[in-house]
Each structure stands twice: as structure tokens, then as C-alpha cells.
Amino acid sequence: MQHGKSYFFVGIGGSGMMPLAMILAGQGATVAGSDRSLDAGRLPAKFDDLRARGVALFPQDGSGITSADQIVVASAAIEATVPDMVAAERVGAARMSRAELLSTLFNEAALSIGVAGTSGKSTVTGMIGWILHAVGRDPTVMNGAVMKNFASPDAPFASALVGSGGVFVSEVDESDGSIALYNPGVAVLNNVSLDHKSMEELRELFGDFLTRAEWAVVNAGDAEAAALIGLKDRDDVYTFAIEAEADYAAEALVEEPFGIAFDLASAFGRRRVRLQVPGRHNVSNALAAIAAAVAAGVPEEAAAQAIEGFVGLKRRFELVGEGGGVAVIDDFGHNPDKIAATLDTLHAFPGRLLLFFQPHGYGPLKVMRRELVAMFAERLAAEDMLVLPDPAYFGGTTSREVTSADIVADVAAAGRDARHVPLRADAAEALLAEARPGDRIVVMGARDDTLSLLAGEMVAKLRDRS
């Protein structure tokens, strides 16, 4: 892609915007941006990292958009009344959505690997990126989370990797339908379950994504994903599954508190693999990554060896610290499948769970209400405790038909200990007041990077108290 013009990102600190800006800057483009969090003084280290990469930052008041030669990049969540968008209209600057820009970079790559599915996209993207890096393929990786393998004191927010090997790895989003813009060489489908869209819409979006790809990597252990395998010639599909028939299968799983081991069984034979990330869901993620790497031309033995060096993502079952015998875990869980996977992983070992779950918006609560309540009712143990503050809200117009109080009422009616504490700080204090040695506190939610700061503050308070 020719970078003759400069790019201005509205909301540059967002989890989907920041890595894209990093990639463009790393490729030599002129990049600038604005963000409400920057104006509010939240997470200054994130914006310091962008400045260190040569990105110019402006208040979100329109002052950074001054020329028709700029390309203004904004997500669908940015409203037309935001001063930057008003300025873009006034000067006649071209506009691209985040997905349009990312898909252009993705589709122009010599080999593009797209990771789709309701859950596990960021982890599988990070795993594939690490395998390709470890075997010398020098990939470019676009992720929605910080990849610990690539993070360093000089690059603490490594949600992107800029390589020159011609391979572009990215998670692709179905929530806004933009998955339709991507034409992958290798398409990975982790799973299909209710999140932002109806199941009918998801089946169509994911099915079309697979058919556009040269190679497909599909979870045969997920009924909805497996039902889409027949859309492609079977010779062009790699399947994976846990303890089921597949091209790449995992058997003899042995769980650890912060790791898991399994036998990788394929046409190439059998070998023992130990991951440095826990849970059965991460075994499935690893199978997907290994299969995708093989589809990209990496020998299976090299892929399996490399995956053992993957150390995970920030906010994906991340142990933040411990105080007074209480562990605090930061997790991105925000839909029924993601939260269930985390709870199952934790319940494999003793200890009460104290869950702090901040919903990532009122819209998702409305869509997921029934499934979310059913999951909590089934997965919470009798001694566990669930606390919900009000959903994350960053401005703009939104319908508040379903609230945190509604979810709590439904979960409590199912016989579980669920409480609604509207203010986030008060909700955290309510959990800390209940904590005793042997408990695990889990901070869960999406779209709000300050949750990690909250988890760190909880560790500090536990240590002070002890």
C-alpha cells in the first residue's frame, strides 16, 4: 500500500485502532491521532508509547485535521458530531473506516491469515504470529491485545508487530459485518456462538469468509463451525478438535493452574506439547494456530515446538498478583463463551471465585441477556460471588433497555450469589471486603483498558491489608 498521504486516527488509543496505527507508522506512513482518553488523562503510558513511535497526538477538538490530503480513520462508534469528524467534513478530508483500512493492508499482503470466531481470536492471532516469528517468517501481526512475547520496556503495548516477510496475520471482526471485506489466504474459524449478531447472520458471515479463502482451518469440535466445513473442498480444509476426530487433535490433557499439556495427534504422528497458558480453550486455540501455520507452509514439528514458547496476552487469564493469600486475575471475558472458559479453567482447582464483571455496553447486554444469565447460573459454584457494576459507557447515545441490575436479578433468581453495585470503585471494594485466603478475584470485561489498572489497585490493597 502506498503511503503518500497522512493518516489521522480518531480514537487512536482503542484496542483496534492503536495496533493499526502502529503498523502504518512502522511501515513509514505519517500517522497522527486523537482520543478521549488522552484528553481525560487516562492511561498516559499508552500515548507515550505512540509518541515514541513517531505518532503525533492532538486533543479531540478538530485541531489535528487541517488538510484535504489527510485520510481520517474512525470506527463506526465515532459519531458525526465529534469535533474531529466535523473538521474532516469542513476541510474535505477523505474518510476510511478502521475495517476498510485494515482489510486493504490485509488483502494486499503476499499471504494473509485471518482469524475469525466468537471467541479466541486475539489468542490464536498471537499464537500464529509467535510461531511465524519463531521460525523466521518475519510476519506483520495485527492484534486486539498486547502480545507478551513481543512486549518489552521499550514497547510495552505490543498489540502489533511490523515485519517484512510478506505474511499479514490479523483477527477479523464479525460484530459489525466487516469480516466481509477480508479475502484471506488462510481463514481460521475458532467457533460460532451468540455475541453481537443473530446466529443466522453469523453463519452467513463466517461461511462466506471460509469460501473466499484458499485454505480453511476449522474447529470440528464446535458444532456450528463444523457445519460450515462442507462449504469448501475437503482437501482445502484443516480441522482441529479436542478429544475428537480431526486433522489436528488433542488428547490426554493434563491441566495446571497456569499451563496445560496434551498429546498432539495428526497424520504426522503424536507428540507431547505443554503450553504456558492454561485451560482447555487454549488447547483448542493452540491447535488452530498450529494448523494455520502448517497451512502457511511451516513444518508441523517446528510449529508444535514454537507454540510451547508462547507466553500469552495481556488481559487473557493474566495473573496480576497476590496479596494475603488472594490471587487477582485480569481477564477479557465478556461474552458467555469467554466467561465460561475462564470459569471452567479456574474451577479445575480449589478456591472460591469472586467475580467482578463490567459489561462492555448496554447493547451487548440486551443481545446476550438470556445466554449470559444461563451461563452464570450453570457455571458459578454455590460459594462463588458475582458483582456487576454498571456497563462501560464512553459517551454517545445508547438504549438502556437491559442493565446490570437486570442481569443480577436473573442470576440471583437462579440461586447464585449475584450483586449489583453501580459504581465500579464500590463494586471492587465489595469484593475486597469479602476476600479471604484461597480466593481468586477475577476482573472481567472488554473495551475498557483501565480495568487492568483496577486489578493492580486491588492487588495493592490486598497486600496493604495483609
Side-chain angles (χ1 to χ4, degrees), residues 161-347:
L161 183 69
V162 182
S164 58
V167 185
F168 197 114
V169 186
S170 179
E171 56 178 300
V172 296
D173 191 10
E174 81 288 348
S175 65
D176 59 357
S178 63
I179 188 175
L181 300 174
Y182 298 84
N183 301 312
V186 179
V188 181
L189 181 56
N190 295 333
N191 40 57
V192 183
S193 62
L194 192 67
D195 194 343
H196 297 89
K197 292 186 175 295
S198 70
M199 290 301 296
E200 290 74 19
E201 292 174 293
L202 291 173
R203 291 174 187 126
E204 181 176 358
L205 286 170
F206 289 135
D208 290 347
F209 177 67
L210 295 179
T211 57
R212 290 195 302 275
E214 181 178 359
W215 300 98
V217 176
V218 183
N219 185 358
D222 179 88
E224 287 286 350
L228 301 176
I229 292 173
L231 295 175
K232 289 191 70 65
D233 188 309
R234 184 63 180 85
D235 290 340
D236 298 332
V237 179
Y238 294 83
T239 60
F240 64 92
I242 296 175
E243 296 172 338
E245 184 175 345
D247 297 325
Y248 290 89
E251 300 170 355
L253 280 64
V254 176
E255 297 198 55
E256 305 170 17
F258 291 94
I260 191 166
F262 65 95
D263 283 350
L264 172 64
S266 72
F268 295 95
R270 177 184 293 264
R271 63 161 287 152
R272 194 69 175 166
V273 176
R274 184 190 175 277
L275 303 179
Q276 297 185 60
V277 288
R280 291 173 62 90
H281 61 292
N282 274 320
V283 173
S284 180
N285 291 336
L287 294 174
I290 291 168
V294 172
V298 177
E300 182 190 304
E301 179 70 19
Q305 182 175 345
I307 198 68
E308 295 188 321
F310 177 74
V311 295
L313 308 178
K314 297 284 287 183
R315 298 217 66 232
R316 299 320 192 263
F317 204 98
E318 181 182 11
L319 178 63
V320 179
E322 187 176 86
V326 179
V328 177
I329 294 166
D330 190 18
D331 191 73
F332 191 66
H334 61 278
N335 66 35
D337 279 0
K338 287 184 171 74
I339 296 172
T342 296
L343 298 187
D344 288 348
T345 300
L346 287 163
H347 278 141

Side-chain angles (χ1 to χ4, degrees), residues 121-134:
K121 292 189 290 292
S122 296
T123 299
V124 173
T125 298
M127 286 177 165
I128 296 171
W130 173 247
I131 291 171
L132 293 173
H133 173 81

Side-chain angles (χ1 to χ4, degrees), residues 415-451:
R416 294 293 181 258
D417 185 354
R419 309 176 193 184
H420 172 226
V421 182
L423 297 179
R424 191 174 89 167
D426 293 343
E429 288 297 332
L431 278 180
L432 290 171
E434 291 284 339
R436 59 178 184 257
D439 289 346
R440 282 83 52 82
I441 292 176
V442 190
V443 176
M444 309 182 89
R447 293 184 183 166
D448 185 354
D449 290 343
T450 64
L451 287 172

Side-chain angles (χ1 to χ4, degrees), residues 23 39 49 78 103 168 173-174 295 310 373 436 459:
I23 289 172
D39 294 348
D49 190 21
I78 301 296
S103 62
F168 197 114
D173 191 10
E174 81 288 348
F310 177 74
V373 169
R436 59 178 184 257
V459 172

